[in-house]
Amino acid sequence: MRVKALLVAAAAAVLVVSGCGGKQVQDNQAGAGACEAADGRLTIATGNTGGVYYVLGGGLAQLISNNTKLRATAAETGASVQNIQQLVAGDYDIAFTLADTAADAVQGKASFEGKPQKIQALARIYPNSTQVVVRADAGINSVADMRGKRISTGSPKSGTEVIANRVVSAAGLNPETDIQAQRLALGKAVDGMKSGTVDGLFWSGGLPTPEITDLTTSLGGAVKFVDITPQLGAMQQISPVYEASTIPAATYKLAADVPTIAVPNLLVVREDFAAGNACAITKLIFDKRADLEQVHPAAKEITKDSATKTDPIPLHPGAQQGLAG
């Protein structure tokens, strides 16, 4: 019953809107020197409703509201690229993002070409697994087999879209012309897989992702996962954050483990985010991690050992203080 209650509370903390926020106390010295949050409100940018960002974001908002003077809410978004763009614009105060997208942002590359973004990290959190699922009758056994197929590459301006396009390119295909790219949110991609209007999908998310669980449970042997690790070498030439990983068979009741590519997730803020708030929130995440684990098991992979490994995104000074406590 405790798990159910926490999930309900987390969902209630999420604002299903495209953007509202920027309400935290704007004095970047608020709480400076003391690891204490100031009075105020803040909004957390999460991701698609069927993904782990959305679930954990709601849980984090509830955790902050219950344990600090801040009143936090979480917003459904298209995820990483959009999150950073709107974070910097002042629409949000904290954002979930993939580390590769965040690296592009601070370096002014890819979606942020020529426009370096002034963001800092609160912590590195759990990793995202790149989950590539296809219909068994689509004739797709490798990424190269996606030529001419209807493939969901994720929501526009999402981290999933960034990774999907890079994986497809690494296989020697042009994601704009060689596949029939469907830029769909996860829920719509899953619906398309069920109806047969989509041949396959890319998803970068924590394990398990609720919508992928729904897909594999509903269609069973009519869908399968694709091993994308042959593209790892080319991906690592783009960014060193990409690493080999595995989707354990038990995650989705598969016959065998699935080799894949993983990338860490970060919580990021603007440079002017109040030091006291940064310290209090970062410390809270680790002091109350067990509560987040009740919201989603991906939180079990949030560790202090990896929290500071955010390079090339600088760690916020307040977060440094919180992690040292």
Side-chain angles (χ1 to χ4, degrees), residues 49 77 131 218 226:
T49 55
T77 69
Q131 301 165 61
S218 299
V226 175

Side-chain angles (χ1 to χ4, degrees), residues 137-163:
D137 59 5
I140 301 172
N141 296 304
S142 67
V143 180
D145 292 336
M146 291 181 178
R147 184 182 296 274
K149 304 296 184 180
R150 301 162 298 179
I151 305 296
S152 174
T153 53
S155 299
K157 296 187 177 183
S158 67
T160 292
E161 184 176 54
V162 171
I163 291 175

